[in-house]
Amino acid sequence: MRQRTIKESIVFEGVGLHTGEHCKILLHPEKENTGVRFLVKGKYIPALYTHVVSTDHSTDLGDGSREVKTVEHLMAVLYLLGIDNVTVEVQKGQEVPAMDGSGFYFYKHLKTAVVDLNADKKVLYVKRIIRVDNCCASVWVQPDEDFRAVYVGYLEGFFDERSVEFDGNIRDIVFARTFCYDHHLPLLRRKGLARGGSLKNAVLLGKGFVYNREGLRSEDEPLRHKLLDLIGDVALIGRRLIGKVVSVRGGHTLNHQLLLELSRCL
Ligand code: ZN
């Protein structure tokens, strides 16, 4: 499997989900073994678990003085398209633009820009189960023949626990938008989060109903979004993972803890 980059620079622009700022990023092609990195105010921040500075409702990267928030949806799409080498120049704002709240626009514009480079992909083979837990959730990796991902969860007011799986078809998950329950909004606002959130870039859920007039894009869209988040967070290991990652009700914090454990295998 070859390393990949993009053939030309690509711009994404729009409101940041949490900051509410107008954000503009430019993705630039890079040569082999550069990795994915963010360029923030003249300094490079590698898209790696070692530079995660927050996992509170988004995965944020930083180096102490500079930060870029909510990298996970873009990271998931780069990972699923196999794009290993790219510089993401953060031109305006401090966040990856939310677009429609999913990975769809990143996918739509990046999929035709992918080019192979003359080097083999860096690969991490999962050889044993590595697992992290908290009181009510678990995330683990286990050996498999290729990269796979599973999310198990329930949707309060809609359905009990069920699972969604990524088994190679990127279109199964890139459309899935970020979501929030109406009764969680006050807490997010108190934390200064979701300032850019609206029905244009997020699904708002009530008890058994959806505020968005267009409804859900699939019955299990929120679970598929959690799967997108999981893949975007796992991408921060910086290698193609050959193994299956499974999350039972997990989120960004547990995903990050898994990478800290997994990094011992590097
Ligand atoms: Zn998300």
Side-chain angles (χ1 to χ4, degrees):
M1 228 186 301
R2 293 281 162 154
Q3 290 189 28
R4 290 173 168 174
T5 186
I6 50 175
K7 62 185 177 202
E8 61 202 1
S9 295
I10 297 177
V11 64
F12 295 103
E13 201 165 359
V15 70
L17 182 69
H18 289 300
T19 60
E21 295 172 337
H22 180 79
C23 301
K24 183 178 178 185
I25 57 170
L26 270 153
L27 274 65
H28 302 292
E30 288 296 348
K31 63 180 192 308
E32 53 274 8
N33 300 317
T34 307
V36 177
R37 57 187 188 173
F38 287 81
L39 178 60
V40 186
K41 295 177 190 156
K43 212 169 165 199
Y44 291 108
I45 301 171
L48 291 174
Y49 65 97
T50 46
H51 286 72
V52 170
V53 291
S54 173
T55 53
D56 186 11
H57 291 88
S58 63
T59 296
D60 309 337
L61 300 173
D63 70 348
S65 58
R66 295 163 177 83
E67 206 175 299
V68 55
K69 289 181 76 65
T70 321
V71 302
E72 61 271 21
H73 309 152
L74 175 63
M75 287 306 301
V77 172
L78 290 172
Y79 194 72
L80 292 171
L81 289 173
I83 300 170
D84 318 279
N85 303 290
V86 73
T87 291
V88 184
E89 181 188 354
V90 181
Q91 270 202 349
K92 284 184 191 158
Q94 288 189 85
E95 188 169 12
V96 172
M99 312 312 288
D100 70 343
S102 76
F104 178 74
Y105 283 92
F106 301 129
Y107 170 67
K108 181 179 163 190
H109 293 282
L110 288 167
K111 73 173 185 209
T112 52
V114 179
V115 283
D116 279 357
L117 293 165
N118 195 22
D120 287 332
K121 228 178 237 309
K122 293 177 183 172
V123 173
L124 175 59
Y125 292 92
V126 175
K127 300 214 168 92
R128 61 183 172 87
I129 293 174
I130 298 170
R131 174 177 170 141
V132 292
D133 303 89
N134 64 20
C135 64
C136 32
S138 306
V139 182
W140 70 88
V141 285
Q142 64 190 58
D144 208 316
E145 286 164 8
D146 201 350
F147 175 72
R148 290 194 173 84
V150 175
Y151 189 85
V152 181
Y154 61 91
L155 204 59
E156 200 182 317
F158 289 83
F159 53 78
D160 294 334
E161 201 148 86
R162 60 168 78 167
S163 72
V164 287
E165 177 160 7
F166 169 75
D167 59 3
N169 191 357
I170 185 168
R171 298 183 73 94
D172 286 347
I173 55 168
V174 283
F175 69 86
R177 294 164 294 174
T178 196
F179 66 98
C180 179
Y181 291 105
D182 53 4
H183 58 274
H184 289 165
L185 262 184
L187 173 70
L188 284 174
R189 301 275 194 221
R190 271 204 301 283
K191 287 180 164 186
L193 297 173
R195 285 185 195 150
S198 75
L199 296 179
K200 287 182 186 158
N201 59 24
V203 175
L204 187 61
L205 301 170
K207 267 212 167 79
F209 70 97
V210 177
Y211 285 89
N212 305 58
R213 205 182 273 180
E214 72 281 9
L216 293 173
R217 291 178 178 176
S218 75
E219 193 198 4
D220 54 6
E221 183 182 0
L223 293 195
R224 290 183 185 274
H225 186 80
K226 295 291 279 186
L227 191 55
L228 184 78
D229 281 345
L230 174 66
I231 293 169
D233 288 344
V234 165
L236 297 174
I237 199 72
R239 286 167 193 245
R240 174 85 188 174
L241 199 72
I242 305 297
K244 186 175 190 172
V245 53
V246 182
S247 172
V248 180
R249 299 181 296 277
H252 297 303
T253 302
L254 218 46
N255 298 345
H256 178 56
Q257 283 170 15
L258 177 73
L259 291 203
L260 294 176
E261 291 296 320
L262 189 60
S263 67
R264 295 182 191 181
C265 304
L266 293 176

